[in-house]
Amino acid sequence: MLSSNLGTGRFGPYGGRYVSETLVHALDELTEAAATIAGSEAFAKELSTLLAEYVGRPTPLTDARRLARALDPTGKVLGRLFLKREDLCHTGAHKINNALGQVLLATKMGKTRIIAETGAGQHGVATATACALFGIPCEVYMGAEDVARQAPNVGRMKMLGAKVIPVTAGSRTLKDAMNEALRDWVTNVATTHYCIGSAAGPHPYPELVARFQSVIGEEARRQILERTGRLPDAAVACVGGGSNAIGLFRGFLEASSVRLYGVEAAGHGVPSGKHAATLTAGRVGVLHGSKSYVLCSDGGQIEEAHSISAGLDYPGVGPEHAWLKDSGRARYLSATDDEALAAASLLARTEGIIPALETAHPFAKLDVIAQDVTAAAARPATIVLCLSGRGDKDLETYLARLAP
Ligand SMILES: *Cc1c(COP(=O)(O)O)cnc(C)c1O
């Protein structure tokens, strides 16, 4: 599964390692282990058994006929829409693919403690789940603001046996939790693995996480070939840190006929300044050990991100997406809170699927994407969209914000 070459850690000018000297050894050790241990036949077999027997993979590819016709009654622009159902993974989203891979790798490296950062708590829950499965202690850093806002996920992590550590520094949200986790890792690196939750952070994390998530794109590619006899015209996903998107894109990167679209959170609208559209409106900078696009002020201060969906509410983005944007291989759009809410409602009523708020963002841009694709391909678009997670966690927001 993982080939032995983990690359240079650079995606064009992006990526790299902007960390203190004390972490370089740990990152080298992880890079080595990712190549030798995670690159082995035996590891691939063990992980794929876990993914099948515990996570429920392969996840289905659902033909969303009613939604496609609701968006385009003629069928001339949006031909067929296939949903890659990561919402049906154990714990309800794609994050478990990466958490299981990293925790399995950490145990093979002889690590006896796992730490993680979490914003909304989704990655914290996935990591706590994997740690419970392997019987390894887990501590999760979480901004104090988020601990208060995300009580159900805090409860889940505790029930799974993890310790949740509230972070009171800075804005008391995800970026502060990530700083705190890095600080812990510096002190405890001999015994501890830091399980990063998205395709971001210093090398080798962006590549490691992308490889653990690439199971999404590999399955989707195989499934759509079986169903339609050809590759799709486009692959679409939401982009927070970018892990579910890169996981899907990796299945199609080499096929230049497949257009790639990422959709970020525009919050109250990009002009309002209250958004999380890092690739759309950010600038090049360094955040959490890696060079990429970031949301920052003229003075270089990292700014707060804003989105109705906690999982997209991050002022950075993985470096591979920065490069895919600059090179033109992928295109990035953004959807506002209101657009995402309306799209979630339409999906629920046409297909009987309540998506995570994060996942609702790409649905909101399907009409624009289908037009773009059809203009280029000169035929009705066949699109595969990564349905990254289920919406149970967001029900309160939906009920408060959507008219009955
Ligand atoms: C965390 C999360 C995301 C955003 O993370 P990526 O790393 O960009 O994939 C998207 N969807 C769901 C359901 C999430 O929980």
Side-chain angles (χ1 to χ4, degrees):
M1 191 191 115
L2 303 186
S3 86
S4 57
N5 178 14
L6 272 163
T8 57
R10 286 281 176 185
F11 303 92
Y14 302 110
R17 272 183 195 168
Y18 297 82
V19 296
S20 67
E21 200 53 40
T22 40
L23 281 184
V24 169
H25 175 71
L27 291 167
D28 280 342
E29 183 194 36
L30 181 60
T31 308
E32 171 71 18
T36 55
I37 301 172
S40 74
E41 245 350 277
F43 185 93
K45 214 164 155 214
E46 195 171 346
L47 183 57
S48 93
T49 302
L50 276 171
L51 290 174
E53 296 177 359
Y54 187 72
V55 175
R57 304 208 72 93
T59 58
L61 191 70
T62 299
D63 189 349
R65 292 189 187 86
R66 289 214 339 117
L67 177 60
R69 289 296 69 81
L71 290 168
D72 175 20
T74 70
K76 286 185 179 147
V77 178
L78 179 54
R80 296 183 81 180
L81 173 63
F82 290 94
L83 308 178
K84 182 59 176 157
R85 300 292 303 279
E86 295 302 295
D87 59 319
L88 297 178
C89 290
H90 176 48
T91 69
H94 66 288
K95 288 200 172 72
I96 190 75
N97 303 325
N98 168 52
L100 265 187
Q102 282 195 48
V103 174
L104 180 64
L105 178 59
T107 60
K108 308 262 180 226
M109 291 171 73
K111 303 291 176 185
T112 54
R113 174 176 176 262
I114 304 288
I115 58 168
E117 86 295 335
T118 196
Q122 298 299 106
H123 173 57
V125 169
T127 307
T129 299
C131 288
L133 184 67
F134 287 97
I136 184 167
C138 177
E139 295 181 32
V140 180
Y141 287 93
M142 188 171 189
E145 196 67 37
D146 293 329
V147 172
R149 285 190 295 199
Q150 310 289 342
N153 276 340
V154 174
R156 284 183 189 107
M157 286 184 266
K158 288 185 176 163
M159 180 151 183
L160 290 160
K163 185 172 162 201
V164 178
I165 304 170
V167 175
T168 53
S171 55
R172 304 146 66 97
T173 57
L174 176 60
K175 75 172 159 55
D176 312 294
M178 207 152 168
N179 288 335
E180 220 37 54
L182 277 167
R183 206 161 296 152
D184 177 317
W185 202 34
V186 169
T187 353
N188 299 300
V189 27
T191 57
T192 300
H193 173 71
Y194 176 19
C195 183
I196 290 189
S198 193
H203 176 60
Y205 284 102
E207 182 62 27
L208 186 65
V209 176
R211 289 183 185 199
F212 286 138
Q213 292 294 3
S214 67
V215 66
I216 300 172
E218 284 160 15
E219 286 177 7
R221 181 189 175 98
R222 195 178 68 232
Q223 290 167 319
I224 201 154
L225 282 172
E226 275 166 20
R227 300 275 279 283
T228 69
R230 62 176 178 83
L231 291 174
D233 299 305
V236 181
C238 64
V239 177
S243 70
N244 87 93
I246 208 66
L248 179 70
F249 290 0
R250 285 278 174 110
F252 304 103
L253 264 182
E254 304 302 325
S256 58
S257 66
V258 182
R259 293 160 83 87
L260 308 175
Y261 295 87
V263 180
E264 301 187 295
H268 296 291
V270 171
S272 73
K274 296 215 172 299
H275 62 81
T278 313
L279 290 163
T280 309
R283 28 186 140 192
V284 174
V286 169
L287 178 63
H288 299 133
S290 153
K291 187 189 236 180
S292 185
Y293 283 79
V294 295
L295 295 178
C296 66
S297 67
D298 292 336
Q301 277 289 99
I302 299 299
E303 287 179 331
E304 281 294 290
H306 293 270
S307 169
I308 193 171
S309 85
L312 302 184
D313 205 351
Y314 178 56
V317 65
E320 191 169 359
H321 288 292
W323 178 233
L324 289 173
K325 174 193 158 82
D326 283 12
S327 65
R329 178 66 188 91
R331 295 165 181 79
Y332 296 88
L333 315 169
S334 62
T336 64
D337 292 351
D338 288 342
E339 289 172 331
L341 286 163
S345 178
L346 184 64
L347 175 64
R349 286 164 187 232
T350 52
E351 297 292 340
I353 300 169
I354 299 174
L357 267 167
E358 293 82 3
T359 316
H361 288 73
F363 282 96
K365 292 289 132 175
L366 269 175
D367 51 350
V368 180
I369 292 169
Q371 276 166 23
D372 195 41
V373 173
T374 301
R379 61 162 177 247
T382 295
I383 294 179
V384 55
L385 186 154
C386 184
L387 209 164
S388 58
R390 66 176 183 230
D392 307 46
K393 68 183 178 62
D394 299 313
L395 200 60
E396 230 180 286
T397 308
Y398 285 138
L399 294 178
R401 293 285 300 267
L402 289 168

